Amino acid sequence: MGTRVVRVEDPQFLSRGATYTDDLIDERLTGALHLTLVRSPLAHARITSIDVDEARSAPGVVAVVTGADLDLAPALLFAGANPGMVRSFLATDKVRFVGEPVAAVLTEEAYQGQDAADLVEVDYDPLPAVIDLHAAASDEVLLFEDVGTNTSNGFDADKAFDEHLFDGCDVVVTKEIVNQRLAAAPLETRAASAVWGPSEGGRDGRVTLWCSTQAPQGARDEVAGWLGVEASQVHVITPDVGGGFGAKIGADPEFALVAWLAKHSGRPVRWNETRSENMTGMVQGRGQLQTFTIGGTREGKVLAYRLDVLQDGGAYPRLGAILPLFTRMMAPGVYDIPKVESRARVLVTTTTSIAAYRGAGRPEATAAIERAMDMFAAEIGMDAAEVRRVNLLRAEQFPLVTQGGAPYDSGEYEKALDKVLEASGYTGLRAEQKARRESGDVVQLGIGVSVFVEITGGGAFSEDASVQVHPDGTVTVLTGTSPHGQGHATAWAMLANEHLGIPIEKITVKHGDTDLIPRGSGTMGSRSLQTGGIAVYQAAGELVEVAKQRAADLLEASVDDLVVESGRVTVKGTDTGVTLAELAEKQELKVDTNFDSGAPTFPFGAHVAVALVDVESGKAVVDKIITVDDAGPVLNPLLAEGQRHGGIAQGISQALLEEVVYDEDGNPLTATFADYGFPSAAELPSFTLLDMATPTHLNPLGVKGIGEAGTIGSTPAVQSAVVDAVSHLGVRHIDMPATPLRVWEAIRAAGSSE
C-alpha cells in the first residue's frame, strides 16, 4: 500500500482495446436488430400527427414504433420531483427539448436506420421555448400545463430570508453568478443491447441487458420498474465503460425502450448513439444561477453568508433535482461563518435534463463561496489569500457540524493553504503582477486562490464485497462498485494482497454483473475506495481469520501462533505451514462481507492558479496551477494522481472553455465537438501536485474520496485568476467560461463605466 503499482488494466486497453457495449460479440445477440431514434427538432411543441408509412417500407426496416404502440407508462425519472412531470419513452402529445425521442426505427443493419428515420413525418405545432431560469420561475410558459408550475421541487424554496442576517456588518456584497451547464462528453456514448430468454414454468423469460452504466444494480432496478417486472427478471451486464463523470449513474429511459423493443420484436436489439445525439440527449451537468450575499468587517472577518439558488432541471427532472441539497449543505465551505442561510428552487426548462457531473452540487457550492470571498476581499481592499486565512475553520475544531448541516470529519485547511502559497511563490507572483501593471504590459498576470472541502460517499455509505481463494492459488474478488476508468482492478487487488500476500497478477476483480453480484451501489460520488475498497480489504482480512482457524486444526497449533504471508499460513518462527490454495482444496475458502461507514467523508484542499490574460484580445491561459488535494492516506499514488490530473483538467475547462449553449428558441448550439469547447492537452499546463494526508476515523485505512476533488478546487481558482488579472482595470467579476469575448467585454464595460 502506498506504492506506485502500475495499472493491471492497461495492457488490454493498450493492445486489443476495450470491449464497450457496442463492441460486444455474443451469440445471444446474433441476428440483432438495430435501433435508430427519431428525435424532435423543436424544443417545445405539440405533436399533431406522426406518419410512419413511408419509413416502414424503407430498405431493411423491420418495424417503426411510436408512443401509441408502447404499453410503457410515462415515468417520473426522479422520485423527489413533482409527480406530474413524467416523461414518455416516446413522446406522444408534446416534446419538451430538442432531441426528445418521438419514434423508434428497427432495421436489419445499423446503416439503414437513419435513412428510414428521415422518412418519418412528424407534424409539430410550435410552442414558446423556456431557456432562462427567471422566465421559467415566472410560470408564464408552462412545460406541464396540468401541473400548473415549472417548479419541480425545492429546498426551503419559499422560506423568507432573515432580514437581519447582515446586521452588524461593515461591508455587504451581493452578486448573481452563473455556474454554467456542461456536457459530460464521455469517451463512450450511451449504448445498450437486450435479449429475452425463453419463458419457463409459466413465467415470462428474463431480459439480459448490456449497457454502459456506472451503477449496474441501480440500472437493473430502474429498468425493471419501468418495464413493470420484478428486478429478478432483469439481468444487467456492464462491459468496459468508457467514462461517465456522473452522467451514467443508473439507467436511461432508452435502456428500457431497447428491452421493450427486444421483447415485442422477438429479436435482440442493439442501440448506440452518435456523438451529436449524446450532446443533446444525454443528461448534462451544473446549470445553476446563484445569488450570493456576503457580509463582514473591514478587518476581513465574514459574519454572514446567504446563497439563493435556481437549479435548471431540464425538461424532465432527473438527478439534477437533488443537486441543490448538496450545494446548500456545502454552502459555507471551509469557513467559520457564524450565520449562514440558503434556499433553492429546481425549475424545468425546454432543454436536456440535468443530472450529476463530476462533483455534483459540491463544485457549485465552492464556486459560489470562493467568488464571494474574492469579491468581499476586493471590497475591503484585503489580499484574497489573507481573507481566507482569517476565516478558515481550525484543525482543533474537528469533528464538527457546519452551519450547512454537514458533519465534517477532519481537516487542516490552513496547512493546505500555506503549502500551496509557499510552493507557488505567492509573494513573488504578486510582485510580478505589480510590475506588469506598472509597465502597462499587454499580457497581465492574475493569481487565483481557492480553499475547498467536499463530501464523498454521501448517501451511499455501504458496499458489498466477496473474496475467494481457489485451489490453484488464484483469487477472485467480487465488488459492488463498477469502474469506468478509475483502476479498481488494480486497487482492489492491492487491498486483497495486503492481507493475503498473493501477487496481484493472480487476483481477478469482477464487477458489473447483477447475477454474479446482486447487491451493489455502483461508482459515483467518489465513494469507491472508502466503501467498496474497504469492503474488499475487510473481506480479505476476514478470510485470513477463517484460514487461520482451519490451519490451526490442520497444523495442531494455536491460532494466535499463526501468520499469513505470501499466501501461506505458517507457525511463527518455523517453516511449518499450509498454503491458502491447499486449504481451498479441502473446503471452499470464501468470505462475503459488507462494510458500512455510516457517514460520508470530507476531503479538502487548496489550489493556486496563475493566469495570463491578453487585455487587447481577452484571451486567457492558465500558466500554472499548484494544488493540494487531501483525501487521506493514498493507496496508489499513480491512480490518485491520475484522478487529480483528470479533475483539474475538467475544472480548468469549465472555467475557460466549456458551456452548453441554447438559442432563444431552445436550439442547442453546441451539439458537436466543433462547437463545444472541449479541451485538449494543448489548452492545459503541467500540474504541480503537492502531497498531504489527513486521515478520517470512519474507516480502518483512514481514506477519503479523490475522484472529484481536482474539479472542485481548480474551477474557482482559475476563474479568480482571470478576474484578478484584469481587476486593476475595474473588472470585479466574469461569468464562466471566461472566453476571450467575455473577458474583452468585461474590460470594455469596466473602462466605459469608469
Side-chain angles (χ1 to χ4, degrees):
M1 290 180 60
T3 57
R4 302 178 68 86
V5 177
V6 176
R7 284 166 42 113
V8 300
E9 297 93 335
D10 288 348
Q12 172 185 313
F13 291 143
L14 295 172
S15 54
R16 75 167 177 82
T19 300
Y20 300 119
T21 298
D22 197 48
D23 300 326
L24 283 170
I25 299 174
D26 191 295
E27 62 180 11
R28 288 170 290 181
L29 294 174
T30 301
L33 299 174
H34 297 270
L35 169 63
T36 303
L37 292 170
V38 178
R39 297 181 178 274
S40 169
L42 300 179
H44 196 199
R46 298 192 192 283
I47 299 172
T48 57
S49 67
I50 304 176
D51 187 344
V52 301
D53 289 344
E54 189 175 359
R56 281 177 172 154
S57 61
V61 172
V62 174
V64 180
V65 175
T66 68
D69 303 315
L70 298 177
D71 58 6
L72 296 174
L76 186 66
L77 302 182
F78 177 72
N82 190 301
M85 295 179 175
V86 296
R87 174 177 162 180
S88 299
F89 291 84
L90 293 172
T92 54
D93 58 337
K94 196 177 185 183
V95 291
R96 295 179 175 87
F97 69 98
V98 171
E100 181 166 2
V102 176
V105 177
L106 294 177
T107 55
E108 294 287 356
E109 302 293 342
Y111 73 87
Q112 298 166 326
Q114 192 57 56
D115 289 340
D118 291 342
L119 298 175
V120 175
E121 295 185 6
V122 185
D123 285 333
Y124 297 99
D125 180 13
L127 296 168
V130 184
I131 307 301
D132 180 79
L133 287 173
H134 288 302
S138 74
D139 290 335
E140 290 182 9
V141 176
L142 295 173
L143 273 69
F144 299 86
E145 290 90 345
D146 293 343
V147 174
T149 179
N150 287 327
T151 298
S152 158
N153 58 291
F155 302 90
D156 288 337
D158 298 318
K159 180 181 178 181
F161 281 138
D162 179 2
E163 61 182 21
H164 300 293
L165 191 73
F166 296 96
D167 288 356
C169 294
D170 300 332
V171 175
V172 178
V173 180
T174 298
K175 184 67 177 177
E176 181 182 87
I177 64 174
V178 175
N179 203 292
Q180 79 273 32
R181 177 188 287 254
L182 302 176
L187 173 68
E188 179 200 20
T189 58
R190 294 178 299 168
S193 298
V195 63
W196 289 78
S199 299
E200 296 176 355
R203 298 184 63 188
D204 288 340
R206 301 172 72 224
V207 62
T208 298
L209 175 69
W210 295 264
C211 58
S212 186
T213 179
Q214 298 173 219
Q217 291 81 7
R220 172 200 61 198
D221 295 346
E222 284 185 279
V223 169
W226 293 334
L227 294 176
V229 301
E230 295 294 326
S232 60
Q233 296 301 102
V234 180
H235 177 200
V236 168
I237 301 172
T238 59
D240 294 320
V241 175
F245 309 114
K248 292 181 181 175
I249 294 174
D252 281 296
E254 287 86 348
F255 295 177
L257 180 62
V258 168
W260 188 94
L261 291 169
K263 182 173 185 178
H264 288 266
S265 67
R267 291 173 61 178
V269 171
R270 305 184 74 142
W271 171 67
N272 184 53
E273 66 182 356
T274 65
R275 178 60 64 183
S276 58
E277 284 182 297
N278 179 267
M279 295 291 284
T280 55
M282 186 184 208
V283 290
Q284 297 167 351
R286 307 287 191 258
Q288 283 190 5
L289 189 63
Q290 305 169 325
T291 302
F292 66 72
T293 305
I294 187 169
T297 70
R298 292 200 172 275
E299 290 71 37
K301 178 59 183 173
V302 175
L303 301 177
Y305 177 65
R306 172 186 293 158
L307 183 62
D308 198 0
V309 175
L310 293 181
Q311 170 72 59
D312 193 342
Y316 301 96
R318 297 191 64 178
L319 200 56
I322 197 67
L323 298 185
L325 176 69
F326 295 108
T327 303
R328 294 184 69 220
M329 181 185 295
M330 305 305 292
V334 294
Y335 304 110
D336 190 1
I337 304 174
K339 295 186 289 184
V340 177
E341 65 179 7
S342 64
R343 66 186 181 195
R345 184 183 304 276
V346 182
L347 298 158
V348 291
T349 59
T350 54
T351 61
T352 303
S353 294
I354 292 281
Y357 175 77
R358 202 166 193 166
R362 292 103 71 199
E364 294 88 326
T366 301
I369 187 65
E370 291 300 284
R371 199 83 279 283
M373 295 298 287
D374 273 347
M375 295 191 74
F376 176 70
E379 189 67 25
I380 64 174
M382 194 170 181
D383 181 80
E386 191 57 31
V387 165
R388 285 167 169 80
R389 187 189 308 282
V390 168
N391 291 284
L392 290 173
L393 289 162
R394 309 300 174 188
E396 60 269 18
Q397 293 177 256
F398 292 86
L400 59 92
V401 177
T402 72
Q403 292 290 335
Y408 288 6
D409 55 340
S410 59
E412 292 194 65
Y413 303 152
E414 189 171 7
K415 181 179 177 181
L417 176 61
D418 287 342
K419 285 178 76 75
V420 291
L421 292 178
E422 181 181 358
S424 69
Y426 187 73
T427 302
L429 288 172
R430 286 297 179 198
E432 181 183 349
Q433 181 185 62
K434 181 181 179 183
R436 285 180 185 247
R437 289 178 175 179
E438 290 175 348
S439 67
D441 200 323
V442 170
V443 178
Q444 290 292 318
L445 181 145
I447 307 137
V449 179
S450 75
V451 189
F452 72 93
V453 61
E454 70 144 328
I455 179 173
T456 59
F461 315 133
S462 171
E463 192 54 85
D464 291 278
S466 167
V467 175
Q468 181 175 7
V469 177
H470 302 287
D472 62 359
T474 62
V475 177
T476 298
V477 173
L478 304 182
T479 175
T481 62
S482 186
H484 40 281
Q486 289 85 351
H488 289 183
T490 304
W492 287 193
M494 290 177 67
L495 290 164
N497 163 270
E498 185 73 9
H499 282 299
L500 305 178
I502 293 175
I504 64 171
E505 57 267 23
K506 290 189 174 183
I507 302 174
T508 299
V509 178
K510 294 186 177 182
H511 61 88
D513 185 320
T514 60
D515 276 9
L516 187 64
I517 307 150
R519 296 183 308 278
S521 297
T523 295
M524 74 287 291
S526 300
R527 68 179 297 275
S528 292
L529 177 58
Q530 68 193 57
T531 52
I534 297 299
V536 171
Y537 182 76
Q538 178 174 291
E542 292 174 2
L543 186 142
V544 162
E545 295 306 313
V546 171
K548 286 165 67 174
Q549 289 285 350
R550 294 182 188 174
D553 295 336
L554 190 67
L555 301 174
E556 298 181 348
S558 169
V559 169
D560 295 337
D561 292 332
L562 299 179
V563 293
V564 176
E565 297 175 331
S566 302
R568 192 165 183 265
V569 186
T570 58
V571 180
K572 295 176 185 177
T574 75
D575 292 330
T576 303
V578 60
T579 66
L580 296 177
E582 289 170 336
L583 291 175
E585 283 182 353
K586 300 179 182 298
Q587 184 181 352
E588 181 183 74
L589 189 54
K590 178 182 179 182
V591 166
D592 297 302
T593 196
N594 173 272
F595 173 76
D596 189 343
S597 67
T601 62
F602 293 83
F604 64 92
H607 289 197
V608 170
V610 180
L612 299 176
V613 179
D614 186 316
V615 297
E616 293 182 346
S617 68
K619 175 68 173 177
V621 297
V622 179
D623 184 57
K624 61 183 71 172
I625 188 162
I626 302 94
T627 74
V628 164
D629 298 301
D630 187 330
V634 175
L635 170 64
N636 184 334
L638 195 69
L639 298 180
E641 289 167 12
Q643 290 285 0
R644 292 173 71 184
H645 274 252
I648 294 166
Q650 286 183 267
I652 292 173
S653 190
Q654 177 176 6
L656 296 184
L657 298 170
E658 295 191 49
E659 183 178 25
V660 173
V661 179
Y662 293 88
D663 69 14
E664 61 183 8
D665 295 319
N667 297 307
L669 304 180
T670 47
T672 71
F673 284 168
D675 305 304
Y676 186 76
F678 195 73
S680 71
E683 282 73 52
L684 302 169
S686 294
F687 306 147
T688 300
L689 308 183
L690 307 178
D691 294 329
M692 186 168 153
T694 306
T696 180
H697 62 277
L698 293 169
N699 62 68
L701 297 181
V703 295
K704 309 176 186 179
I706 191 61
E708 295 159 296
T711 317
I712 296 170
S714 61
T715 307
V718 172
Q719 183 185 20
S720 294
V722 174
V723 175
D724 183 60
V726 294
S727 61
H728 65 296
L729 302 176
V731 176
R732 290 292 173 262
H733 176 75
I734 303 171
D735 272 326
M736 299 185 292
T739 60
L741 176 60
R742 229 170 234 158
V743 175
W744 185 87
E745 288 177 337
I747 294 171
R748 295 305 175 272
S752 63
S753 67
E754 290 187 354

